[in-house]
Structures are given as C-alpha cells and as structure tokens.
C-alpha cells in the first residue's frame, strides 16, 4: 500500500516516465538516453527525482526501455528514495500502458506521476507540495500541474486544456487555442487504470475518462516551466536557468 502522511492525502509513491526513445533529440540520443541528457550540468531525470524527494516521496518507480542499462546505472548512484525499475525493454508501452505495468508497485493509493524530460524553476513554493495540498480525493481522479504558455520555454503548440473557475479541465476545441499546457506532473488515482490492459496507449485515454466524469482538475504552476525536446532547446533551457540564478 502507498504510504501517506498523517492526513492520508499526500502521496509517498511516484512514477517517473523514462522509457521514451527521444527521437527529436537526435543525434544526442544516438548515444545517450533522453533522461540522462544534461541541462545545466544535471541529467534531466534528476530534476524530477529531486522534486519528488523534496515532496517527501519515499518510493519511486521508473520505467525503462531505450538504453535501459545506462538509465539503471545512473539510478543506482542516487541516494534517498527507494527506486524500483519497471522494465519495458521487451515492449515500449507509452505513458498509459507503462503505468498499468507498474501498478503493482504503485499500490492502491494516489501517486505522483512525473515526466523525465520536463522540469520547472520553482516560484514561491515547491509545485509538488502545491499539488499535494490541493489534492481532493473526493472530487478528483486526477490533478495535473498546468503551466501558462507565457511562462514556459521550449513549447510549440496550441495548448492542452481549458480550465474553469473551479479548476476543472476540458480539452481545447479543435482550431482553438488555450494558454494552459500540461506540465508533465500530476497526482493520479490507480482506479483510473482499473481494467485497462498492459498494452501501448497514452495517458490521454485516462485523462479523457476523467474529463467525462468531471473529475480532471488542474493547478497552475508557480514559476517557470521548461521542456527539452530538441538539441536547440537545451541551450534555451540553460539560458533560462542562468538568468534565474542571476
């Protein structure tokens, strides 16, 4: 069972999605798996792992596929939270299928989910703490961290969701735009994946299920969101990090 805090609401278990091929990052990813690509002298995956540990997570499941041995070797060097590998070397399951495969390790309580290729510069407080504080199990099946396009780097798109005054999320209508981007971090209920097969599918499938039930909510990220999808975006991300430090 997933450990929780005294209120029974703060997740102590998490999953980091790290099995992708990183095709848009070639030629860098010809020799380095994307989670280990360095930005500002730090591997991408370590930004998410560090944020989870600051939020009090004690067990982290990481799925691996491409250059899995290199990712495993990197994770063995870390201290702190216990890291469990979900091995997808035989078949890449995408974000949704990867969670289904890992459910036995994630337990039956809500858990954090973090992408290994996005991170953020914190604002007045840690954003995962903010997610945990606003998580309401009675009203939500999923709570997503949502970035404002005006405070994001490396993103090219028309936005992912619209958000009402209560924080409920809906899909952006075709041909419309929204300033709200899924920032690659969330709290999810395992029940969202009940009955789903261990096969290749996207998290968007369960997000849409939660939308239909009126139970997909969002929290606006405090700070600056950074996504690294191409070699050129590394330079942009490092410039933003330097500016923030200054």
């Amino acid at each position: 069972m997933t450990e929780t805090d005294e209120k029974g609401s703060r997740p102590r278990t998490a999953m980091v999605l790290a099995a992708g091929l990183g095709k848009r990052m070639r030629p860098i990813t010809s020799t380095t798996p994307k989670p280990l690509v360095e930005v500002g002298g730090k591997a991408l995956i370590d930004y998410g792992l560090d944020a989870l540990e600051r939020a009090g997570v004690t067990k982290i499941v990481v799925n691996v596929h491409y250059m899995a041995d290199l990712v495993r070797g990197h994770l063995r060097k870390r201290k702190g939270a216990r890291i469990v590998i979900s091995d997808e070397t035989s078949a890449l399951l995408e974000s949704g299928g990867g969670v289904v495969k890992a459910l036995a390790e994630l337990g039956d309580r809500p858990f954090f989910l973090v992408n290994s290729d996005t991170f953020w510069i914190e604002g007045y407080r840690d954003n995962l703490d903010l997610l945990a504080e606003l998580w309401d199990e009675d009203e939500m099946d999923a709570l997503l961290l949502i970035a404002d396009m005006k405070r994001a780097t490396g993103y090219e798109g028309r936005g992912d969701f619209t958000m009402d005054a209560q924080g409920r999320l809906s899909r952006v209508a075709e041909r419309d735009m929204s300033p709200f981007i899924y920032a690659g971090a969330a709290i999810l209920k395992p029940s969202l994946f009940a009955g789903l097969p261990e096969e290749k599918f996207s998290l968007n499938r369960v997000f849409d299920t939660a939308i239909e039930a009126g139970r997909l909510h969002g929290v606006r990220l405090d700070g600056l969101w950074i996504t690294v999808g191409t070699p050129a975006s590394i330079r942009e991300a490092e410039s933003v990090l330097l500016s923030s430090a200054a």
Side-chain angles (χ1 to χ4, degrees), residues 5 21 38 51 93-94 98 113 120 149 184 186 193 209 226 232 235:
D5 64 8
L21 300 175
E38 291 193 357
L93 296 172
E94 289 193 7
L113 182 85
W120 52 86
M149 202 179 293
F193 301 87
T209 297
I226 302 172
R235 293 189 293 274

Side-chain angles (χ1 to χ4, degrees), residues 34-193:
K34 188 175 181 183
L36 302 191
V37 171
E38 291 193 357
V39 175
K42 183 174 178 177
L44 280 172
I45 194 170
D46 286 333
Y47 285 97
L49 292 171
D50 289 347
L52 289 167
E53 291 183 357
R54 288 196 305 271
V57 170
T58 57
K59 178 182 179 182
I60 304 172
V61 181
V62 180
N63 65 342
V64 296
H65 174 79
Y66 181 62
M67 296 189 183
D69 287 344
L70 292 180
V71 179
R72 288 175 186 269
H74 180 84
L75 295 176
R76 279 197 293 269
K77 299 173 186 176
R78 288 190 59 94
K79 310 296 181 183
R82 181 164 71 97
I83 295 178
V84 177
I85 298 296
S86 181
D87 192 330
E88 295 182 23
T89 52
S90 62
L92 184 59
L93 296 172
E94 289 193 7
S95 53
V99 173
V100 172
K101 181 177 176 63
L103 281 177
E105 291 289 352
L106 292 168
D108 58 6
R109 296 288 303 146
F111 58 91
F112 282 115
L113 182 85
V114 175
N115 291 348
S116 64
D117 60 350
T118 59
F119 60 102
W120 52 86
I121 298 171
E122 305 282 8
Y124 77 99
R125 62 177 303 179
D126 279 7
N127 281 282
L128 295 186
D129 277 342
L130 185 61
L131 271 179
E133 180 180 303
L134 297 178
W135 169 251
D136 185 341
E137 191 168 343
D138 293 333
E139 298 292 329
M140 306 169 184
D141 288 335
L143 179 62
L144 311 187
L145 190 62
I146 299 294
D148 189 317
M149 202 179 293
K150 293 179 181 178
R151 294 189 55 77
T153 69
Y155 178 79
E156 297 178 4
R158 61 186 185 90
D160 297 316
F161 299 101
T162 59
M163 186 187 307
D164 69 14
Q166 288 72 47
R168 282 188 296 267
L169 299 176
S170 300
R171 290 290 182 189
V172 179
E174 190 175 356
R175 299 189 182 87
D176 285 349
M177 292 190 68
S178 168
F180 299 126
I181 312 161
Y182 172 48
I187 295 176
L188 305 177
K189 279 185 178 178
S191 57
L192 271 172
F193 301 87

